[in-house]
Amino acid sequence: QVQLVESGGGLVQAGGSLRLSCAASGRTFSSGALGWFRQAPGKERELVAAIDWSGGNTYHADSVKGRFTISKDNAKNTVYLQMNSLKPEDTAVYYCTAKYMVVPKLRNTNYDYWGQGTQVTVSS
């Protein structure tokens, strides 16, 4: 089993930046996908970004491309989401997710490990 713990959320003004961190523990992994989802009230859950743990390939949703960047530190079993140029539309609970896969698939993936979520609120 894997425990995922997010940190870094908070309140920020539009145009500002935040960096979310997700630390994995309980089971080390060398192959799989890690992703960031977000959930806003009344909205569909959205995969914001994902990364191939071994190869480093990334995916970013069109809604955040050019503003958000996913990255990882394998030695620390940690994935990051750098969020720049934040907009009020980015307000949501952000969840870290993971799935062990021999050949990681970043999208349309049934991520089975989830963090507790961290609130990001962007004021106008």
Side-chain angles (χ1 to χ4, degrees), residues 64-76:
V64 305
K65 195 171 297 182
R67 300 187 297 119
F68 293 9
T69 303
I70 190 170
S71 62
K72 62 185 177 69
D73 186 333
N74 294 69
K76 296 181 178 180

Side-chain angles (χ1 to χ4, degrees), residues 27-70:
R27 177 186 175 188
T28 59
F29 54 91
S30 60
S31 180
L34 288 149
W36 289 96
F37 281 85
R38 66 184 181 186
Q39 180 75 64
K43 300 293 184 180
E44 294 288 327
R45 184 185 66 187
E46 178 185 23
L47 177 63
V48 175
I51 190 166
D52 176 348
W53 187 249
S54 297
N57 294 329
T58 61
Y59 161 81
H60 296 84
D62 289 342
S63 58
V64 305
K65 195 171 297 182
R67 300 187 297 119
F68 293 9
T69 303
I70 190 170

Side-chain angles (χ1 to χ4, degrees), residues 3-6 22 95-97 113-117:
Q3 180 181 352
L4 304 172
V5 179
E6 301 101 330
C22 174
Y95 296 91
C96 179
T97 67
Y113 295 100
W114 291 75
Q116 80 285 357

